[in-house]
Amino acid sequence: MYLFNLKASECFSLPRHAISRSPITLFPKVTIMASIEVLPDLYPEIEPYDTGFLKVSDLHTIYYEQSGNASGNPVIFLHGGPGGGTSGNDRRYFDPESYRIILMDQRGCGKSTPFAELQDNTTWTLVEDIESLRKHLGIEKWVVFGGSWGSTLSLTYAEEHPDRVKALILRGIFTLRRKEITWFYQEGASTLFPDFFEEFVEPIPEVERGDLMGAYHRRLTGNDEEVKLRCARAWSKWEMSTAKLLVDDEVIARAEDDHFAIAFARIECQFFVNGGWFKGTNHVLDNAEKIRHIPGVIVQGRYDVVCPFKTAWDLHKRWPEAEFHVVPDSGHSAREKGIAGRLVAAADKFRNI
């Protein structure tokens, strides 16, 4: 669909290292891709040269892996959710000849243990885990890459440890403000996807639908395993259904993986009802001053329903030094061609930083 389709709103994916041309620049460092712009494709699949587990507390042990060039520029990929875990495809945004590519599964998900655990699992413990892993791997500074919840965690980590961050590459900006949560889980996105939203609310009795987050949290942390699994599937399907500009049945099918759905739904809901344990609802944006000296690239899908453009725009105003790329034919997913190409180009930009 994205190859040489001459619709004005679309951009194309061409072979690696093609030259990018003809962006539309509205303001300094704010770029909207034009129809003839050429962006790089993902790098080929690779396998890790090192995997391991790091005990980060009395309860939690996190999985990590390294791939690419062991002597290369270190980059850490911070996955979404929280609770989403990593996959082999996440290695493919980075030039394996230039980067030492580090992936970690955050507490309670992926290969980290204990599985789907909520105790001692907060934004602040995850920030500590990133620092523990950096020290464990003997890295002085690294590039930090994250999308969706991964952008929240990347920004929070950088604001806490700006001296450890070479550059930031962010996608689908999310700062966990209350209005961002209610837009997606109460009223807002529901008006664009009413069919899928009906499925989302179906497990919750009508009398409790005035606070869907609270109703889901009670069930996802309760003792009825059948109800817990039903709600985990519904929660996960709602996000998968809205992740792309065009509904993708393969993405939706991921919610049918009960192992994924339980961790994803439980951990996300726990973080969101607790406001990420931030000191204030605008914590991430209010601390953006601390990272303005760090080189950065923000990539945002114009029609992102999960993490709407407004949050990325708010971050841009707080951090105008960062490059800000708007992808006109994309939603939320990093797997959409225009977003993926922009992320690869950003990583290429910083490979020698």
Side-chain angles (χ1 to χ4, degrees):
M1 173 172 89
Y2 290 87
L3 292 177
F4 298 101
N5 183 342
L6 296 180
K7 293 180 181 179
S9 64
E10 293 189 352
C11 57
F12 324 120
S13 174
L14 293 183
R16 288 234 39 84
H17 306 309
I19 298 173
S20 178
R21 48 195 178 89
S22 298
I24 300 171
T25 302
L26 298 181
F27 305 103
K29 294 182 180 279
V30 182
T31 301
I32 298 177
M33 292 189 297
S35 59
I36 61 170
E37 188 172 8
V38 177
L39 292 171
D41 202 353
L42 295 171
Y43 284 90
E45 294 182 9
I46 56 173
E47 294 300 317
Y49 64 79
D50 174 54
T51 63
F53 291 88
L54 179 64
K55 190 167 182 61
V56 290
S57 76
D58 292 340
L59 179 60
H60 288 276
T61 299
I62 61 168
Y63 167 82
Y64 69 89
E65 65 173 51
Q66 301 186 81
S67 58
N69 182 350
S71 300
N73 186 19
V75 58
I76 183 165
F77 177 97
L78 299 178
H79 65 71
T86 59
S87 73
N89 200 64
D90 299 329
R91 308 171 192 133
R92 299 181 61 197
Y93 299 102
F94 313 103
D95 179 356
E97 295 184 2
S98 300
Y99 275 108
R100 178 183 176 184
I101 306 161
I102 299 145
L103 274 56
M104 63 171 270
D105 287 334
Q106 295 158 31
R107 295 189 183 201
C109 66
K111 298 177 183 178
S112 295
T113 60
F115 176 71
E117 180 59 58
L118 303 182
Q119 182 181 342
D120 197 24
N121 191 351
T122 71
T123 303
W124 302 111
T125 58
L126 298 186
V127 168
E128 291 172 4
D129 293 349
I130 298 168
E131 262 300 91
S132 295
L133 182 59
R134 181 191 64 78
K135 293 173 184 177
H136 176 73
L137 297 176
I139 294 169
E140 182 178 355
K141 298 178 71 171
W142 48 9
V143 176
V144 179
F145 180 114
S148 192
W149 159 255
S151 76
T152 320
L153 188 56
S154 297
L155 286 163
T156 306
Y157 173 77
E159 289 169 357
E160 291 296 306
H161 302 282
D163 56 328
R164 299 303 180 185
V165 179
K166 290 184 173 184
L168 283 163
I169 302 171
L170 307 174
R171 183 268 312 169
I173 304 303
F174 177 53
T175 64
L176 227 160
R177 292 176 293 181
R178 181 67 182 172
K179 62 184 178 182
E180 297 171 44
I181 299 295
T182 56
W183 155 267
F184 190 67
Y185 292 105
Q186 191 66 42
E187 186 174 9
S190 57
T191 64
L192 299 175
F193 292 87
D195 45 350
F196 291 112
F197 195 73
E198 281 191 9
E199 295 183 50
F200 175 64
V201 302
E202 196 274 333
I204 307 301
E206 190 167 350
V207 69
E208 296 184 59
R209 292 180 184 174
D211 178 15
L212 289 167
M213 289 284 298
Y216 261 100
H217 188 255
R218 287 189 290 276
R219 289 159 176 80
L220 290 168
T221 58
N223 296 320
D224 189 322
E225 295 302 320
E226 183 177 343
V227 169
K228 185 184 297 183
L229 181 57
R230 182 187 177 202
C231 286
R233 290 169 177 164
W235 177 282
S236 301
K237 184 177 181 180
W238 168 236
E239 186 160 337
M240 298 303 111
S241 300
T242 55
K244 287 189 171 184
L245 177 63
L246 302 179
V247 175
D248 188 328
D249 289 337
E250 289 187 14
V251 175
I252 294 175
R254 193 179 185 197
E256 299 172 7
D257 179 346
D258 292 344
H259 184 81
F260 165 79
I262 282 288
F264 186 70
R266 273 173 55 84
I267 297 172
E268 272 202 339
C269 194
Q270 172 81 348
F271 271 65
F272 297 167
V273 298
N274 286 286
W277 297 271
F278 286 125
K279 299 167 187 176
T281 190
N282 289 307
H283 177 89
V284 175
L285 293 177
D286 286 346
N287 284 275
E289 185 71 25
K290 298 176 182 178
I291 63 167
R292 287 184 60 179
H293 65 287
I294 298 174
V297 174
I298 301 167
V299 178
Q300 180 70 34
R302 167 68 74 178
Y303 299 108
D304 189 335
V305 171
V306 182
C307 298
F309 186 1
K310 179 63 164 63
T311 302
W313 187 252
D314 290 344
L315 176 61
H316 161 67
K317 290 191 290 185
R318 298 290 189 103
W319 185 25
E321 295 81 7
E323 292 183 16
F324 185 23
H325 299 286
V326 182
V327 186
D329 63 340
S330 295
H332 181 67
S333 175
R335 308 295 166 82
E336 292 175 279
K337 292 289 187 179
I339 290 178
R342 272 295 178 201
L343 293 173
V344 173
D348 285 351
K349 174 186 177 73
F350 293 135
R351 59 185 152 194
N352 296 316
I353 195 171

